[in-house]
Structure formats: C-alpha cells, structure tokens
Amino acid sequence: MSNLFPTYSRWEIEPEWAEGSYLYGKDGKKYLDFTSGIGVNNLGHRPKVVQEAIQEQLDKFWHVSNLFPVELQEIAAGKLAPAAGMDLVFFCNSGAEANEAAIKLARKATGRKKIITFNQSFHGRTYATMSATGQDKIKKGFGPMLETFTYVPFNDLKALESEMNDEVAAVMLEVIQGEGGIFPATEEFLHGIEALCKQHGSLLILDEIQTGIGRTGKPFAFQHFDLKPDIVSVAKGLGNGLPIGAIIGRKELKDVFGPGSHGTTFGGNPLSVASSIATMNMIFDEEFLTEVNKKAEFLKINLKKNLSSLTNVKDIRGLGFMIGIEVTEGVSEILKSLRISGIIVLSAGENVVRLLPPLTATIEEIRTGIEIITNVLSERN
C-alpha cells in the first residue's frame, strides 16, 4: 500500500531521466514530452544554463529566510517587472499562492470584497483560489466557498456589464482559459473588461500562471492585446521546474503591501530565484521569442492541415505553444494511445487534447509530434 494520499490519477510511465524535449521511462522507452511538466519546463528538461545557475547558488546557500536582503530577488524582480511593463514583484512558491496574493492585494487596495471571475476558469486549489475558480467539480465536497466571488460567462461582455458596480474590487481572468479547455479571450472582450474596471475603479488581475513566460510567443499573453493590468500572477514556467510563483503589480500598489501585510517562509528561495533569472535571460530574448513564434505557427498550421478532414476533430485553437484539439469523445483513451505511440500530452477538460511543447522544441521534434497525433486520431476517426 502506498503511503501517499491518492490525490492524483497516475499515468503508467515512471520517469527515469529527462533531457531537452524527451523523457525516458523506467520501462526503457523514450517519450516526446509535449506537457512540459504542465507548462513548467518551457526550456525543456535540464537546460544547461539553468542547471549551472542552480548549482552555482547551491554552492553558496540554499535558504536564509526573507528577514535578509537577497540580491538575487532584486535581480529577478528587475527582469520580471519590466518584461511585463510593470513595477513591483512579490515572490512566492506556486501559482495558487500567487493568486492568493493577488486576491489579498486587490481587496486591501480597494477596500472592497467582491471579485468577478469567469465560468470554466481555474485559479488554484486553496480556499480563496478554489472559490475564484468557475468550475464546480473543483469545489465538490469542500463545503461553502468564500461568498465574495461572482462568476459570469467567458467572452460575454454584456454579462460582465450586468455584474459590474462600484463594489467590485477586481475582475480576475486568464487570457486563455487553460484547464477549462484552451479558450482564448477575444480582443473586444479583454478591452471591454479593461474599460469597465477603469470606469468602476476596480483592479484588473490577469492570471498568467500557464500563459506567461513565453508560452504564447510573448513574455506574457496579455501583451498580444496591449492591455495594462494592475496585477499579474505568474508561476509554472518562471523557474523551469523549480517551485516559484510571483505577482507583478503597479507602483501605485506599493504601500498596500507594506511590512507585515503578506509574507512567505520559502517564497523567493535563492535556488528558485537563480533558476528564474537564467530562465528569463533566455526566454525574454527577442530573437528567442521570434523563433518560438515561427515554430508555434508551424505547429498550428500543420495540425490544421493534417486534422481538418477528420470527423472526430471539432476544433483546433490556442495561441503560441498552447494548443487545444477538441475532439468528439473523452480524451483519456486518446492520451493513453499517444503515450503508447511515444508522445506525452495533456487533457483540458473532458474532450480537449492539450499540447504544451517546450519552447525549445525543434521543428523536427514538432513534426514528429504532429505525425504521431495525426496517426492516433486517424485510427480513431
């Protein structure tokens, strides 16, 4: 009997080691990894530059607590905030913690309680972030949620307008709903939200946990739409595998999060921050992102070319290296068949195959992935 709580439906593959775009199982097989650790290993497995940065810090100190000034935190914040066009950073350990901090900051800054989020959203599994999530299945069995969250349909500006008033602390959303099925927000919807927030003195919180750090071909997904959020939450790809999260905020919020207002024991851990600096140095490079966009376009064009004639494929959508293939059946057996064929991918909801390749994947690796996906879906057509 395992001593672990059975909170995860484990796959049949047990990792032995990993490098680049590939994971090698204890079964002796090699798998093309298009999960990137659920959008975490944006530079692939064990990139040399990140591994060297971690080792360098490992030889100095691992943990001292946030009672000390840590230069690496200042360096990391000095890369993260400007990349978002913003000013201030708070480091934590995960996406859920980042969204918790964003919720606290918005409520304290405005003196209001109500926060509007969207149906099929996903913001985390703590009580506040679970309450913010617009999916009932995430909340089942845990009793009453926090009462200060209201949910409206995604991409429905009129529905949002009917809920907006001067009691709303913030509107919180994903630019692309990830766990909800890879649904991108429309430009009209995003700019409408921004205008409504300004009109009512509400803050705009963008959850970039999955979409940030180059995943969509820009440092942050909101930059495709020229938005100016008040708070942005990030995690996943920020440390390329080491646990780290953050919120990025505007300078006007500085005094709201003063000493004693918020904190964390492990947030801004030197090893995680070292990995984030090395990761950002690569991903925020303009030439690197230009290549990401070229490869992402290749992926999307060829998926549509290969799959458009299949009757079991309903839609292909997404942005950059965040792609959803909506099919006419549940995806669990499809994912298993893909693993047997040598590629690891994810689900997003019940009937969407989610692709999150590493940003460093080569054209040849992408071509291989497309070929396997095409063969598996064609066999089930």
Side-chain angles (χ1 to χ4, degrees):
M1 186 189 80
S2 172
N3 292 114
L4 297 171
F5 273 108
T7 50
Y8 305 105
S9 298
R10 307 278 190 178
W11 289 342
E12 69 281 358
I13 303 167
E14 186 172 354
E16 178 72 29
W17 68 289
E19 185 174 42
S21 299
Y22 289 93
L23 182 147
Y24 298 79
K26 288 188 176 181
D27 55 8
K29 295 181 180 178
K30 174 182 176 182
Y31 300 90
L32 185 58
D33 185 356
F34 272 22
T35 73
S36 298
I38 315 185
V40 169
N41 300 322
N42 285 4
L43 295 176
H45 292 284
R46 298 192 302 112
K48 185 178 179 181
V49 65
V50 177
Q51 193 164 337
E52 288 176 348
I54 296 167
Q55 185 61 56
E56 182 181 348
Q57 184 58 41
L58 194 64
D59 292 336
K60 294 178 180 179
F61 58 90
W62 307 351
H63 175 81
V64 291
S65 90
N66 285 308
L67 296 174
F68 296 85
V70 178
E71 183 183 14
L72 284 177
Q73 291 183 6
E74 291 288 353
I75 295 170
K79 294 181 180 296
L80 186 58
M86 300 173 79
D87 308 293
L88 299 165
V89 174
F90 172 84
F91 288 111
C92 53
N93 304 286
S94 68
E97 285 188 30
N99 282 336
E100 283 273 349
I103 291 164
K104 287 179 66 175
L105 180 57
R107 288 182 57 159
K108 193 166 188 284
T110 61
R112 305 173 183 178
K113 298 178 181 179
K114 183 178 178 180
I115 294 178
I116 298 176
T117 66
F118 296 89
N119 296 341
Q120 296 306 118
S121 61
F122 181 82
H123 298 292
R125 293 181 184 273
T126 62
Y127 248 94
T129 59
M130 189 165 56
S131 298
T133 293
Q135 299 186 55
D136 289 341
K137 67 180 181 180
I138 301 297
K139 310 170 189 181
K140 187 177 180 181
F142 293 104
M145 294 291 108
L146 301 184
E147 298 177 353
T148 54
F149 289 91
T150 299
Y151 319 98
V152 299
F154 195 61
N155 276 332
D156 188 337
L157 195 57
K158 288 186 177 179
L160 178 62
E161 286 175 348
S162 68
E163 290 290 344
M164 285 296 293
N165 54 48
D166 293 347
E167 296 178 359
V168 174
V171 177
M172 182 177 188
L173 77 153
E174 304 152 274
V175 178
I176 304 171
Q177 289 192 332
E179 303 295 328
I182 314 295
F183 289 104
T186 66
E187 186 167 5
E188 179 186 8
F189 181 60
L190 291 169
H191 284 291
I193 294 172
E194 187 177 44
L196 285 169
C197 285
K198 288 180 180 177
Q199 178 184 338
H200 293 281
S202 308
L203 300 185
L204 175 58
I205 303 173
L206 295 182
D207 178 340
E208 291 258 10
I209 305 301
Q210 191 167 158
T211 53
I213 320 298
R215 175 54 53 188
T216 67
K218 287 186 179 289
F220 302 93
F222 74 82
Q223 292 168 329
H224 289 278
F225 305 98
D226 194 30
L227 297 174
K228 291 181 169 54
D230 298 288
I231 305 169
V232 174
S233 57
V234 293
K236 287 191 180 289
L238 181 57
N240 208 75
L242 267 68
I244 186 169
I247 57 167
I248 318 166
R250 300 206 169 278
K251 60 186 176 183
E252 291 80 7
L253 298 170
K254 182 177 182 178
D255 293 337
V256 181
F257 258 15
S261 59
H262 195 54
T264 166
T265 298
F266 293 108
N269 172 271
L271 299 180
S272 295
V273 173
S275 70
S276 77
I277 293 169
T279 298
M280 287 188 285
N281 282 342
M282 282 195 68
I283 291 179
F284 292 164
D285 179 76
E286 188 174 336
E287 290 185 11
F288 179 87
L289 288 174
T290 297
E291 283 301 306
V292 170
N293 281 300
K294 288 179 181 177
K295 293 184 292 186
E297 188 68 10
F298 177 86
L299 172 62
K300 196 168 185 179
I301 286 174
N302 284 279
L303 279 174
K304 289 187 174 181
K305 178 182 175 183
N306 286 20
L307 304 180
S308 60
S309 63
L310 300 182
T311 58
N312 59 343
V313 174
K314 294 177 65 178
D315 193 17
I316 299 170
R317 54 182 178 262
L319 188 61
F321 268 157
M322 186 174 179
I323 300 295
I325 304 170
E326 185 176 351
V327 294
T328 56
E329 61 177 304
V331 296
S332 60
E333 289 302 314
I334 293 175
L335 265 57
K336 187 173 182 179
S337 294
L338 288 168
R339 293 195 295 271
I340 291 170
S341 299
I343 187 171
I344 310 170
V345 301
L346 298 160
S347 61
E350 297 298 321
N351 63 336
V352 175
V353 176
R354 177 173 30 159
L355 309 182
L356 300 174
L359 309 184
T360 49
T362 66
I363 288 292
E364 189 55 42
E365 289 166 346
I366 294 167
R367 187 179 283 115
T368 298
I370 293 169
E371 182 179 343
I372 296 172
I373 292 166
T374 301
N375 289 340
V376 168
L377 290 178
S378 295
E379 288 172 2
R380 303 181 70 88
N381 191 38

